Amino acid sequence: MKWQKILKENVKYLPSISELIACLLAPLLIFIYSQYAYGSDITTFTTDIYLINYFVIACMMYSLIALSNNIKFSIISTAVFFVGFSIINYYVTIYRGTPVLPWDIIAIKTALNVAGGYSFTLTFEIAVAVILTLVMSVLLVILLPKRKFISKTSIFVRTASLIVAVYLFSLFNTSWEIESYGVKTDTWAHKDAYRKYGIPSEFILNLKFLNIDVPENYSTELKDDIINNFESSYQTYDVDKTPNIIVIMNESWTDYEEFGNIELSEPVMENIKNLDNSIFGHAYSSVWGGGTSQSEFEFLTGNSMAFLPPNSVPYQQYLKGDTNSYVWYLKSLGFDTLAYHSYLASGWNREKAYDYLGFDDFISMEDMVTPLEYGHQDFCYDRVDFAELIYRYENRDMSKPFFLFNVTMQNHGGYDDFIMDDVSVIGSDHAYPKAEFYLSLVNQTDEAFMELVDYFKQVDEPVIILMYGDHQPYVEDEFIYKAMGIEDPSDKTQLIERYRVPFVFWANYDLPDITIKDSSLNFLMQDLLSLAGIETNKYGEFIYTLNQTIPSLSFNGYFDNDGQFYTHEDSAGLYDDLIDQYRILAYANLFDESYQENSITSQRG
């Protein structure tokens, strides 16, 4: 019969017993090796966790077999990929605080830019995982049949492998099916989720965040109704002449002293906190340990990362053309706008993003006139960064008011690669070398900012300066818990303090004697415009008004006027309607093309 003839002709292509055993056993071993490399306790995994991760790995492996018709090559390639990916995740987690997520792939260039600032120490677990992977690969080469690569179609091997791959993919092609195996996401602690549930299944599960859901009942009419019918509480303070505006987003700038739980050899923010004619306060960032561009995005647009996938990168994922921002709004008022970053221009897609946000020009480390001086690695000192800022101010277009947005680099992570302990934690016996190095850097920021203030005290034109931190640094957890008084790291009402950063407003004209409540980065621009005596747009009025009811709203949750913190999941519905209105306007501001066309009122050139 015909099928018997086909079977006889293709019998040499059938897998041997050893190949079948290898195919069945390999995904389990690969999962064990890869999770061990990441630092997981593999004895704590449930059967379901093993099973779903086995499926993910097997799906890739059988797909490779179907494509290559080479079992040995496919198993070894799958092992190298997953073990290698786990090792990458380990180091990314060590230096950023969160592992690799699906949207990080597009940020690889930024990661490579700053990779030189970190040291990579080989751990026992990684060494064991690499050795076991090599041993497995050698055994596969020795024990499996020595087949040449077969170009002729192998009906049975390829078809069977493809069927298995498709079947396995069907088991977890939607998030709820993965979650039915007990796998969950934890946007507060991705690193713990990767250890607890397995990197393969967690990574797949996070793919669901790549899609941006349209807010429920969203329509242009609903958006217009919200923006046109709220009662605005926006107010400005009297300023004789429109001031020049300078904003400094200071890398990893954090106030560990405010909690009163640590004693330092010298205060590191004393000058700024005691600065005359200033307003000092704190705000909550949506990111921790990294994610600088997300903090830029929130400040420059007024949108909140609360309405976007966790750890997503708007500059790279969502900005595809001219995008609503306060930069465009200031341009419409006649401002000359400049973005300035004292590091490589390529990071976070800034070259395109700043153009889309409305900046007239962008200068980076490559364009700086001031002679560069580096601290650790290739990170420019703040005093040098500020000297370049002064140069750009002096050489601005004098016929227009000036808006400069500066992102610094001095305090960037990589604190274990250079030893400096000008500032030490008293009583710790140098148990926190990363933190002491970081605090020594912050002390230099304090001095550099005072030099900047001293310069602008002498200029005749009115100038207002805002400096704020983008996120906290990734230093020793033990130091952070001690400094902030965090007794239970699983308690989100305590853990939210890891997202707290300082800000300071200063001007060379009289500022009002006011206190700004603990805020969030997406609200700060409205305070800045108000203090500068500048009317804002309708979206800004809405945000300013919202801020009077909800002082702080970030990715992790929000605070009410009584200082009570709520996660977005456990909000008790107190302000759901108000937050939903914000969500709708933020969606329109970022994604509604017709709204953007009508809102961006500035011309290029």
Side-chain angles (χ1 to χ4, degrees):
M1 296 180 67
K2 188 174 182 181
W3 68 269
Q4 291 174 320
K5 182 179 179 182
I6 294 174
L7 178 61
K8 185 176 180 180
E9 291 177 350
N10 286 274
V11 69
K12 64 179 179 180
Y13 299 122
L14 290 174
S16 65
I17 297 299
S18 60
E19 287 175 320
L20 286 174
I21 293 174
C23 287
L24 291 172
L25 189 58
L28 176 61
L29 294 177
I30 292 169
F31 176 59
I32 292 173
Y33 297 165
S34 60
Q35 287 300 136
Y36 188 70
Y38 186 63
S40 296
D41 182 354
I42 58 177
T43 65
T44 62
F45 291 133
T46 64
T47 301
D48 280 350
I49 297 300
Y50 271 111
L51 192 60
I52 191 61
N53 284 281
Y54 181 98
F55 287 165
V56 176
I57 295 170
C59 180
M60 174 177 170
M61 189 184 77
Y62 283 109
S63 297
L64 283 176
I65 293 172
L67 289 171
S68 70
N69 191 33
N70 191 315
I71 293 174
K72 206 180 305 185
F73 164 80
S74 300
I75 295 176
I76 294 173
S77 297
T78 303
V80 170
F81 174 82
F82 280 101
V83 173
F85 188 56
S86 291
I87 293 171
I88 291 171
N89 270 285
Y90 172 80
Y91 287 116
V92 171
T93 300
I94 286 293
Y95 293 113
R96 189 183 70 176
T98 57
V100 178
L101 295 162
W103 37 91
D104 285 327
I105 305 303
I106 59 177
I108 186 65
K109 192 171 184 180
T110 303
L112 292 175
N113 283 347
V114 299
Y118 300 100
S119 60
F120 301 93
T121 304
L122 182 66
T123 66
F124 174 80
E125 290 81 5
I126 290 175
V128 169
V130 170
I131 290 171
L132 290 175
T133 302
L134 288 173
V135 170
M136 184 180 73
S137 300
V138 171
L139 290 175
L140 288 170
V141 172
I142 294 173
L143 298 178
L144 296 191
K146 296 181 179 180
R147 301 169 184 261
K148 294 181 178 179
F149 185 82
I150 304 168
S151 58
K152 181 178 178 181
T153 302
S154 174
I155 295 174
F156 292 98
V157 173
R158 285 188 163 182
T159 303
S161 298
L162 185 60
I163 290 172
V164 171
V166 171
Y167 171 70
L168 292 176
F169 181 76
S170 71
L171 294 177
F172 55 82
N173 65 345
T174 58
S175 62
W176 68 267
E177 288 172 325
I178 286 185
E179 290 171 338
S180 69
Y181 284 82
V183 178
K184 301 176 182 178
T185 54
D186 187 347
T187 56
W188 283 74
H190 283 290
K191 64 178 181 180
D192 295 334
Y194 272 40
R195 286 196 176 98
K196 185 176 180 180
Y197 302 114
I199 294 174
S201 60
E202 263 307 301
F203 188 86
I204 293 293
L205 184 58
N206 275 287
L207 289 172
K208 69 179 182 179
F209 292 121
L210 289 175
N211 295 320
I212 305 297
D213 294 328
V214 178
E216 187 175 357
N217 301 321
Y218 178 81
S219 67
T220 301
E221 292 74 21
L222 178 58
K223 177 264 300 176
D224 289 342
D225 182 62
I226 295 170
I227 202 69
N228 292 323
N229 292 293
F230 72 93
E231 185 174 345
S232 174
S233 62
Y234 184 77
Q235 61 174 340
T236 62
Y237 295 92
D238 292 335
V239 180
D240 293 337
K241 180 181 178 182
T242 300
N244 297 300
I245 299 174
I246 294 172
V247 177
I248 302 166
M249 191 176 78
N250 197 288
E251 172 66 39
S252 300
W253 192 46
T254 303
D255 182 13
Y256 285 123
E257 296 172 280
E258 69 154 317
F259 299 93
N261 297 318
I262 56 171
E263 184 180 358
L264 304 180
S265 57
E266 61 179 288
V268 298
M269 220 175 283
E270 183 176 30
N271 291 320
I272 292 175
K273 288 183 177 180
N274 292 289
L275 183 60
D276 290 337
N277 193 45
S278 68
I279 302 170
F280 182 84
H282 297 87
Y284 288 88
S285 170
S286 287
V287 291
W288 179 83
T292 296
S293 69
Q294 288 95 315
S295 295
E296 296 178 43
F297 168 80
E298 287 192 314
F299 176 80
L300 293 172
T301 66
N303 301 332
S304 174
M305 291 298 298
F307 309 135
L308 297 172
N311 290 83
S312 56
V313 185
Y315 277 12
Q316 294 171 306
Q317 292 173 250
Y318 311 129
L319 273 61
K320 305 301 181 184
D322 289 352
T323 302
N324 279 321
S325 74
Y326 295 121
V327 186
W328 283 110
Y329 178 68
L330 288 172
K331 280 169 64 72
S332 73
L333 299 179
F335 276 78
D336 183 28
T337 59
L338 173 66
Y340 157 45
H341 178 41
S342 53
Y343 198 57
L344 301 175
S346 56
W348 297 120
N349 197 38
R350 285 191 178 95
E351 291 172 296
K352 290 184 178 179
Y354 284 154
D355 185 47
Y356 294 153
L357 291 171
F359 283 103
D360 292 311
D361 200 5
F362 168 41
I363 65 167
S364 61
M365 182 174 70
E366 298 93 333
D367 310 305
M368 290 175 64
V369 175
T370 306
L372 284 166
E373 294 181 47
Y374 303 117
H376 62 306
Q377 300 302 319
D378 293 330
F379 302 153
C380 177
Y381 283 117
D382 278 358
R383 58 181 172 78
V384 177
D385 178 290
F386 296 167
E388 179 72 16
L389 184 157
I390 291 171
Y391 172 83
R392 297 296 167 175
Y393 171 81
E394 291 177 342
N395 290 273
R396 70 193 188 279
D397 182 347
M398 301 290 185
S399 67
K400 299 179 180 180
F402 185 51
F403 172 63
L404 183 147
F405 180 72
N406 171 214
V407 179
T408 72
M409 201 66 186
Q410 171 187 285
N411 301 329
H412 195 282
Y415 312 114
D416 58 350
D417 197 51
F418 181 85
I419 302 301
M420 179 172 65
D421 58 355
D422 297 341
V423 177
S424 58
V425 181
I426 293 177
S428 70
D429 194 24
H430 298 291
Y432 313 118
K434 293 181 183 179
E436 290 184 340
F437 177 23
Y438 166 77
L439 290 164
S440 300
L441 291 171
V442 172
N443 196 32
Q444 293 182 4
T445 296
D446 188 57
E447 296 170 357
F449 189 75
M450 295 311 296
E451 292 176 5
L452 183 71
V453 166
D454 287 343
Y455 170 83
F456 279 105
K457 284 180 178 178
Q458 310 304 317
V459 304
D460 295 330
E461 293 288 316
V463 175
I464 184 168
I465 299 174
L466 164 63
M467 184 167 77
Y468 68 93
D470 58 345
H471 56 70
Q472 291 192 14
Y474 191 57
V475 295
E476 296 90 351
D477 283 340
E478 297 80 7
F479 169 79
I480 295 171
Y481 298 154
K482 177 182 176 65
M484 296 184 175
I486 297 175
E487 298 177 355
D488 181 5
S490 66
D491 185 346
K492 294 177 181 179
T493 62
Q494 295 183 38
L495 202 59
I496 186 62
E497 301 306 329
R498 296 188 74 159
Y499 294 84
R500 187 175 173 86
V501 295
F503 66 80
V504 59
F505 291 94
W506 177 86
N508 61 357
Y509 57 87
D510 290 337
L511 291 178
D513 184 16
I514 62 172
T515 298
I516 297 177
K517 282 188 175 183
D518 288 351
S519 188
S520 52
L521 302 188
N522 49 314
F523 292 152
L524 282 182
M525 178 63 92
Q526 297 313 309
D527 292 313
L528 175 61
L529 294 178
S530 176
L531 292 170
I534 298 173
E535 294 293 336
T536 189
N537 58 15
K538 290 293 289 184
Y539 186 47
E541 288 183 14
F542 176 87
I543 290 175
Y544 186 94
T545 305
L546 171 71
N547 190 209
Q548 308 312 301
T549 302
I550 303 176
S552 170
L553 188 153
S554 61
F555 176 82
N556 296 296
Y558 62 90
F559 285 86
D560 64 19
N561 275 316
D562 295 324
Q564 178 66 43
F565 174 70
Y566 301 91
T567 67
H568 293 293
E569 295 78 15
D570 305 322
S571 65
L574 295 176
Y575 302 103
D576 284 358
D577 289 344
L578 193 55
I579 293 173
D580 284 344
Q581 290 178 19
Y582 184 20
R583 184 191 308 274
I584 288 168
L585 294 181
Y587 180 88
N589 207 43
L590 183 57
F591 295 110
D592 191 325
E593 293 183 4
S594 62
Y595 180 64
Q596 293 194 6
E597 289 173 2
N598 294 329
S599 299
I600 295 175
T601 57
S602 181
Q603 297 181 353
R604 293 185 177 276

